[in-house]
């Protein structure tokens, strides 16, 4: 838990430092079928990566910080 909180704080700090120059996007890859999940995920790696790329592409300069899933849907903080 502490590492996730640290990541959120780093992202927030980056968004403040880079305001107007770059956007910061935190990505949730989804529950992916991998060795780590014992093959029990809901989506495959290709779907996760393709979705995260779409989420990045959907981010514009008007947003300094966002947390989105692989479907490019905002995740509430």
């Amino acid at each position: 838990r502490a590492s996730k909180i640290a990541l959120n704080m780093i992202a927030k700090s980056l968004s403040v430092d880079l305001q107007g120059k770059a956007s910061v996007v935190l990505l949730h890859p989804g529950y992916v079928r991998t060795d780590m999940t014992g093959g029990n995920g809901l989506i495959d790696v290709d779907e996760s990566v393709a979705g995260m790329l779409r989420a990045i592409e959907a981010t514009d300069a008007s947003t300094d910080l966002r947390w989105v899933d692989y479907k490019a849907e905002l995740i509430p903080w």
Side-chain angles (χ1 to χ4, degrees), residues 9-51:
M9 194 65 226
I10 290 168
K12 178 62 179 170
S13 293
L14 271 174
S15 74
V16 169
D17 293 345
L18 299 174
Q19 189 171 21
K21 298 176 187 166
S23 296
V24 177
V25 181
L26 293 171
L27 297 169
H28 185 306
Y31 186 37
V32 183
R33 284 187 296 272
T34 64
D35 292 341
M36 185 180 227
T37 62
N40 294 320
L42 300 175
I43 60 173
D44 62 28
V45 172
D46 291 337
E47 184 177 356
S48 175
V49 172

